[in-house]
Amino acid sequence: MSEAEATGEEDRPLEWASEPHMSSVDTIMWRGDTDRRMRGTICMLEIWDCDPDWDRLVAAHEWGSRMAPRFRQRVVDSPFGTGTPSWAVDPDFDLHYHLRRIRLGGDGSMRELLVTCEQLAMTALDAARPPWEGTVIEGLPDGKVAYFLKAHHALTDGLGAIIGLAQLHSPTREHNPGKPQPPSPDPVNISSLDLMRRQLGEEVRRIPHRVDTTIKGVRALAHPRRALSTALRYGRSVPRVAGLVSPPGSPLLAHRSLSWRFSAFEVSFAEVKATAAATKASVNDVYLAGLIGGFRIYHERMGSPVDTMPVAIPISVRRPEDPAGGNRIAVGRLAGPVGIADPFERVLTIREQVRVARHEPAVDIFNTLGSVMAWLPGSMLMQFSGTASQNDLQASNVPGIPWDTYVAGAKVERMFPFGPLPGCAVMATMITHNGTACLGINSDGAAVTDLDLFAECLIEGFGEVLAMGTDDGETTGLQRVE
């Protein structure tokens, strides 16, 4: 008997990614695929300690797609590619398509695994199906197995993804027959006319809010000095948040292509926290200082030093009452202090820049204007995004799962996240999994031309930062997984 049967309650899906329509920010990410260079594919590489039971794994995915029906839903867009699309359960959902199994070729090394994952990640998702694919990759040393999950960023942001994975992974290696068993969601057919009616209805419902905003703006004119000051602060903030005012990009990293290159690293999260405590900064500040320190060393080794470079970070605007799925992020812009050699000064400089970025008056402008931007055709949206996204580095840090997790009898040993490259040279993403900070680096092959040297420089950059967290300067530091 399941827990639901014992309590008389009906088993039901998770409250995760349950909105029937895309938000405006999700829509902008979805339309990004209009430009191949802006594809919003996010990936997670898990390393499992053994080969899972295949039948259990298939059953786990089938169960997961009932617990989180978003994995059975496809995107239904308007025939004009404008407005916010809807999510609808795919009447042709076929798990056989979404779950694959392959064997690693070559020497079975981590480098060989990452090359395979690069190729999988660069292959476009089928827009006519639910936008995700899971691949089990066998053939690793010591009987280990990898699992590579790729999905479209329109599904969720990093924090939302971890919330979903934490609920869909198991806390035990053994099979749990008492799990909730919600029914399969019914297929949904949405016509173009239905979609356009819904979009227009939403615009009508926004009218009172827009009228109220206009009235508040008129009332603010009763205090003209205060109103002018607020307007000027917001107006000055918009170009900074939009990336229209930023330091010039590094000439060394100037080229862009369609080629993704993955690297994986790990570091003790205790060492990162110790450095944060010693410098009175946040874990994120220390993480950024290590990354930017690596860029400093790389530029010096390549004979092309720079003082600053454009850096972007996601700023979560997720509130406790927000649904777990979807994207609830804004963008923070930094002038990465690459020229600062002293790691302590670099951490403090980053700390101050992050504080300013989080409190920009226009920090949430893309969420504010999203309902209008969603009506722009994808090609026009990408022209705007292309001018605002030329960062040398985008970096995010997502809290992970702080306990042992299992899938179909296999223990998850590591979780390496890889974000997309929306016009940037390098995307760095860190997830902390059970005491280990796992860092996934996605770099543009045309921008970072010496991947091994870049990895060595990142290790040195983190080493000089993490040394501040110990009395004797000794640290295990960042380790490349290879």
Side-chain angles (χ1 to χ4, degrees), residues 207-384:
I207 290 175
H209 171 71
R210 289 170 178 168
V211 170
D212 183 58
T213 301
T214 302
I215 292 173
K216 288 180 179 178
V218 172
R219 287 175 176 171
L221 296 178
H223 306 280
R225 288 188 178 180
R226 186 190 308 166
L228 179 61
S229 176
T230 300
L232 290 175
R233 286 200 306 272
Y234 195 89
R236 288 192 296 265
S237 177
V238 168
R240 294 194 295 267
V241 172
L244 301 175
V245 177
S246 64
S250 162
L252 182 64
L253 308 173
H255 297 293
R256 298 290 187 271
S257 68
L258 299 174
S259 299
W260 291 10
R261 298 292 181 264
F262 289 173
S263 302
F265 302 83
E266 60 184 44
V267 62
S268 166
F269 190 53
E271 291 189 4
V272 178
K273 290 193 296 183
T275 303
T279 57
K280 293 181 171 56
S282 70
V283 164
N284 196 58
D285 298 333
V286 171
Y287 164 59
L288 289 171
L291 288 171
I292 292 173
F295 275 93
R296 177 185 65 81
I297 298 168
Y298 181 70
H299 278 78
E300 290 177 352
R301 299 273 173 86
M302 296 291 282
S304 182
V306 293
D307 289 328
T308 60
M309 67 181 195
V311 176
I313 60 171
I315 296 176
S316 177
V317 293
R318 188 179 292 278
R319 299 167 298 183
E321 65 272 20
D322 285 334
N327 288 274
R328 302 293 187 274
I329 53 176
V331 179
R333 309 279 181 177
L334 313 179
V338 186
I340 298 180
D342 180 73
F344 181 64
E345 182 183 353
R346 193 186 319 133
V347 170
L348 296 187
T349 301
I350 290 170
R351 184 183 68 180
E352 179 60 20
Q353 287 194 22
V354 171
R355 185 191 66 80
V356 171
R358 290 184 184 279
H359 292 89
E360 281 280 7
V363 67
D364 205 21
I365 187 172
F366 291 112
N367 290 281
T368 302
L369 297 181
S371 61
V372 176
M373 295 175 67
W375 284 95
L376 299 176
S379 57
M380 188 179 297
L381 264 178
M382 289 310 99
Q383 287 180 1
F384 172 78

Side-chain angles (χ1 to χ4, degrees), residues 34-87:
T34 304
D35 183 342
R36 290 192 300 166
R37 298 172 190 271
M38 303 293 285
R39 278 181 183 158
T41 305
I42 58 175
C43 308
M44 177 73 77
L45 173 62
E46 296 186 348
I47 306 298
W48 297 347
D49 70 344
C50 66
D51 203 348
D53 180 290
W54 181 252
D55 290 338
R56 278 183 64 186
L57 185 66
V58 173
H61 280 75
E62 194 278 333
W63 171 80
S65 71
R66 287 186 283 116
M67 287 293 290
R70 180 69 87 229
F71 289 105
R72 293 193 179 209
Q73 294 174 342
R74 62 189 177 95
V75 177
V76 181
D77 208 346
S78 77
F80 308 107
T82 57
T84 55
S86 289
W87 291 100

Side-chain angles (χ1 to χ4, degrees), residues 140-175:
L140 273 64
D142 303 320
K144 296 185 179 182
V145 169
Y147 176 75
F148 187 69
L149 176 65
K150 75 173 188 178
H152 201 281
H153 210 327
L155 275 172
T156 184
D157 58 21
L159 181 56
I162 290 299
I163 292 172
L165 287 175
Q167 295 177 91
L168 295 175
H169 281 44
S170 174
T172 64
R173 195 183 292 270
E174 294 74 26
H175 174 60

